[in-house]
């Protein structure tokens, strides 16, 4: 069995890492994907914090309370993940209030049903305190809405992964690295939860999924810092292509908000004698200093 002190230390690390990543993401708004990622990390932190309080709580009512209120954090994670993925990858046509509202119906029900489980027992049908190696833990039998919540979470997780898998094959090295980090950030807690549901982890009956968030938090921090998640962003690519970018007669280069090259058409590459594989993801002034100097020159007054 993993000692409870180790579990608690891991949860504290998860909260610290998640808060750091969330603050960095929030600071980057309105860059596409920044707000949903901050919300996602906030949900992960809430889940971890409630698990910490649940471990230390005494009595079945106190432990059940922290499990029940944890569903507020659990419910927002899959929705935030889906719309982060869509917004970050440039699928802004789907990031509309009406779509967010529809996707949030089931999570809202999950949060409310989870928080009021004592009234109807739809999330858990039985609760009992058990002694495991001298530690008093809460054992709960999942009800029908528990499985609905799990299935819906995995569904949105899978849907959000699809746009990122597309970017893994991108010509831009930064996009590939970002996408791999983000997929790792999803898969690790996902697999942790599956193993827990299969009763394959020695965790005193405590769902260790929030501990998996420590790994996902590190992955998100790596994407934010090392791979410039919001510094080099693929969202402008889809805009360019929707404007017939690839069919333009003139050469064109697309830069993100920080001046990094995220796309250029064949005419621009031919005119500038540049290999797209060499320039994508790099700062425009570094690649084309002469052109950047001309563009930056003030016009006649």
């Amino acid at each position: 069995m993993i000692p409870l002190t180790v579990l608690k230390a891991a949860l504290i690390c998860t909260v610290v890492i998640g808060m750091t990543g969330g603050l960095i993401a929030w600071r980057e708004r309105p860059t596409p994907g920044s707000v949903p990622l901050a919300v996602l990390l906030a949900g992960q932190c809430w889940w971890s914090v409630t698990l910490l309080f649940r471990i230390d709580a005494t009595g079945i009512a106190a432990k059940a309370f922290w499990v029940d209120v944890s569903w507020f954090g659990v419910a927002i994670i899959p929705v935030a993940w889906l719309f982060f993925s869509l917004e970050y990858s440039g699928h802004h046509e789907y990031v509309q209030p009406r779509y967010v509202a529809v996707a949030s119906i089931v999570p809202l029900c999950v949060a409310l049903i989870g928080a009021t489980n004592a009234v109807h027992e739809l999330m858990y049908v039985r609760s009992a305190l058990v002694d495991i190696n001298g530690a008093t833990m809460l054992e709960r039998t999942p009800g029908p809405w528990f499985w609905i919540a799990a299935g819906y979470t995995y569904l949105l997780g899978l849907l959000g992964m699809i746009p990122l898998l597309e970017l893994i094959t991108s010509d831009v090295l930064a996009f590939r690295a970002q996408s791999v980090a983000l997929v790792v950030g999803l898969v690790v807690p996902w697999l942790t939860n599956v193993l827990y549901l299969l009763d394959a982890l020695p965790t005193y009956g405590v769902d260790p999924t929030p501990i998996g968030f420590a790994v996902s938090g590190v992955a998100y921090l790596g994407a934010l810092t090392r791979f410039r998640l919001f510094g080099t962003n693929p969202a402008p690519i889809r805009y360019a292509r929707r404007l017939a970018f690839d069919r333009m007669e003139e050469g064109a280069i697309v830069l993100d908000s920080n001046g990094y090259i995220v796309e250029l058409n064949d005419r621009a590459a031919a005119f500038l004698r540049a290999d797209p594989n060499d320039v994508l993801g790099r700062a425009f002034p570094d690649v084309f200093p002469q052109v950047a100097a001309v563009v930056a020159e003030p016009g006649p007054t």
Side-chain angles (χ1 to χ4, degrees):
M1 285 289 185
I2 299 175
L4 282 181
T5 53
V6 175
L7 290 176
K8 291 166 68 173
L11 287 170
I12 293 172
C13 289
T14 298
V15 174
V16 172
I17 294 171
M19 289 180 63
T20 302
L23 290 173
I24 293 174
W26 185 257
R27 189 180 61 188
E28 294 295 332
R29 65 190 194 286
T31 304
S34 58
V35 173
L37 181 58
V39 173
L40 184 153
L41 290 169
Q44 292 184 353
C45 288
W46 177 255
W47 192 355
S48 299
V49 168
T50 56
L51 182 51
L52 271 171
F53 281 111
R54 169 189 169 184
I55 292 174
D56 286 336
T58 58
I60 189 170
K63 288 182 177 293
F65 169 80
W66 288 112
V67 175
D68 294 343
V69 298
S70 70
W71 285 101
F72 288 108
V74 176
I76 68 174
I77 292 173
V79 178
W81 163 260
L82 174 63
F83 287 101
F84 159 73
S85 175
L86 292 172
E87 193 170 280
Y88 162 78
S89 60
H91 294 78
H92 290 266
E93 65 271 25
Y94 301 114
V95 188
Q96 303 293 334
R98 61 181 179 275
Y99 295 132
V100 176
V102 171
S104 300
I105 292 174
V106 172
L108 179 60
C109 293
V110 166
L112 294 176
I113 290 172
T116 58
N117 183 73
V119 177
H120 43 66
E121 295 190 332
L122 291 174
M123 191 66 72
Y124 299 102
V125 297
R126 187 183 69 85
S127 300
L129 291 179
V130 295
D131 184 272
I132 303 177
N133 288 355
T136 301
M137 306 304 296
L138 179 66
E139 183 180 82
R140 309 192 85 177
T141 302
W145 265 93
F146 178 93
W147 300 111
I148 292 173
Y152 192 76
T153 297
Y154 290 132
L155 174 62
L156 294 195
L158 179 61
L159 292 176
M161 190 186 295
I162 293 173
L164 299 180
L165 292 177
E166 294 175 356
L167 288 174
I168 288 178
T169 60
S170 170
D171 292 330
V172 184
L173 178 60
F175 294 164
R176 295 201 300 269
Q178 291 169 7
S179 300
V180 169
L182 294 171
V183 170
V184 169
L186 171 71
V187 170
V188 170
W190 195 354
L191 289 178
T192 303
N193 186 252
V194 170
L195 291 174
Y196 166 72
L197 294 178
L198 294 175
D199 200 22
L201 296 175
T203 57
Y204 293 90
V206 175
D207 185 350
T209 302
I211 299 174
F213 294 150
V215 178
S216 64
V218 171
Y220 294 147
L221 279 177
L224 284 164
T225 56
R226 176 65 178 84
F227 303 124
R228 304 194 313 268
L229 180 65
F230 296 128
T232 306
N233 192 286
I237 294 177
R238 288 180 56 82
Y239 286 124
R241 289 175 177 168
R242 282 200 297 270
L243 294 173
F245 179 82
D246 294 324
R247 298 195 301 270
M248 291 176 62
E249 296 268 340
E250 299 81 8
I253 300 175
V254 179
L255 309 180
D256 68 6
S257 59
N258 292 282
Y260 289 91
I261 302 171
V262 295
E263 187 63 290
L264 75 164
N265 63 10
D266 292 337
R267 287 187 176 272
F271 178 76
L272 296 170
R273 299 179 182 177
D275 183 348
N277 293 325
D278 294 333
V279 303
L280 291 174
R282 297 176 59 189
F284 181 77
D286 294 343
V287 181
F288 305 116
Q290 298 88 351
V291 178
V294 172
V295 172
E297 286 181 358
T301 57

